[in-house]
Amino acid sequence: MRPVRQEIMWQAVLDAVAATGPEGPLDVLDVGGGTGGDAVRLAGLGHRVTVVDPSPDALASLGRRAAEAGVGDRVVGVLADTSDLGEQVSPRSVDLALLHGVLEHVDHPGEALRSVAGTLRDGGVVSVVVAGRPAAVLARALAGDFDGAAALAGAVVEDWDLKVQGPRRYVAAELEALLAAAGFSASAPVGLRTFADLVPSAVVDTEPGARERLYALERLVRTSRDFSAVSAGLHTLARLDLR
Ligand SMILES: C[S@@+](CC[C@H](N)C(=O)[O-])C[C@H]1O[C@@H](n2cnc3c(N)ncnc32)[C@H](O)[C@@H]1O
């Protein structure tokens, strides 16, 4: 098994694919897909993947990775960001859009979601992963950064200043409100990496079977709101609400 963190994040991608259905190759848009770890694995499963990212270096790595994996014909890299998605991706051409680890960094999360919505086909799904705020507060407190923890605990996504506060961290209700405002019907966010970021790697990497048992524990609690509230990541799947 790969490191637990990687396995959890990949499983979130597979959950998104399964929610999109039907079986068969999907047109996937990976917004902020970076160096293409997910894109190349998805292409290996037969899907056609477009990665949109503003980093030329990341896209160069993506190209190399895709070629090495023999899936260069199913992976396209586009140098752009969420603000010019509408010009770079054909409207209504995407079955599944991944927005993993991106709404923390964009200037306007609501606008980013509306741009993604414009690319989706009828019945298409957007999969959103964001960093959880309570887990980030906990991490700062455990590291002895009590002022940082207090500042983050009192922050809200609506008034976030990326330059001063760093990447945005969310609570579930903020993510749900953003998706609803962009016209999506979303599943309740589930927790990703509730424990994995807290357990020392020496524990999981030395004890036989520990990775598998930690992974099973993560899957066990992921749909519990009590646990997702303190998870490092929040994952939600959403469809355009056409009512
Ligand atoms: C934390 S990484 C996440 C990478 C990948 N999606 C994952 O889940 O591992 C954030 C990525 O978002 C990209 N990014 C930053 N601002 C963006 C924007 N406005 N639009 C699209 N991508 C952006 C960065 O270049 C980077 O590749």
Side-chain angles (χ1 to χ4, degrees), residues 5 9 13 30-38 51-56 58 80-85 98-108 112 129:
R5 190 180 188 284
M9 301 315 285
V13 175
D30 192 353
V31 182
T35 56
D38 292 333
V51 174
V52 169
D53 202 286
S55 162
D81 64 26
T82 46
S83 66
D84 46 14
L85 214 50
L98 304 177
L99 205 51
H100 289 189
V102 177
L103 291 184
E104 294 88 334
H105 307 285
V106 300
D107 290 331
H108 304 290
V129 173

